[in-house]
Amino acid sequence: QVQLVQSGGGSVQAGGSLRLSCRAQGSTYYSSCMGWFRQAPGKNREGIAAIGVDGTPTVTESLRSRFTISKDYAQNSLYLQMSGLQPEDTGMYYCAADACAQKLANGGYQYWGEGTQVTVFS
């Protein structure tokens, strides 16, 4: 019921900035909760930011000073603004979506974007 189309990402020098976008196509109900995840090489995927049904943004504490999550409800698009990027931020970044009630019941998101690569070089 939802297709997530990601854009943005790329290669950037340490200290630089990037903005990731994720457009949810289809049901707004099934994209009422959305989030960003990343997977560094050789590591498990981790959740880094999310926006709930009430629009409250959350960013994992270690990234809060550098990353900002936002959502354009008119476009049903999710964004991740990343600044002060470091080589350890390198990885695949994924957006995810689901109906908030289902996310709560199932403990996770049902719909995932294809991922976009972020590479930070020193």
Side-chain angles (χ1 to χ4, degrees), residues 22-24 26-28 31 34 71-78:
C22 173
R23 182 159 188 169
S27 169
T28 55
S31 54
M34 299 183 75
K71 186 175 181 180
D72 182 334
Y73 288 89
Q75 298 293 325
N76 205 20
S77 294
L78 188 71

Side-chain angles (χ1 to χ4, degrees), residues 24-113:
Q25 298 177 335
S27 169
T28 55
Y29 174 74
Y30 284 102
S31 54
S32 53
C33 271
M34 299 183 75
W36 288 102
F37 291 73
R38 71 180 182 184
Q39 186 167 18
K43 295 188 177 181
N44 293 330
R45 187 165 57 189
E46 62 172 342
I48 58 175
I51 286 188
V53 67
D54 62 357
T56 301
T58 60
V59 179
T60 193
E61 187 173 358
S62 62
L63 301 175
R64 202 166 292 163
S65 64
R66 301 187 294 119
F67 289 15
T68 302
I69 186 173
S70 61
K71 186 175 181 180
D72 182 334
Y73 288 89
Q75 298 293 325
N76 205 20
S77 294
L78 188 71
Y79 304 97
L80 185 69
Q81 179 68 46
M82 305 182 291
S83 61
L85 285 163
Q86 300 300 318
E88 53 266 33
D89 295 317
T90 294
M92 284 292 288
Y93 283 69
Y94 300 89
C95 70
D98 207 340
C100 293
Q102 291 205 356
K103 174 182 176 291
L104 183 63
N106 298 330
Y109 295 94
Q110 178 178 188
Y111 302 101
W112 292 83

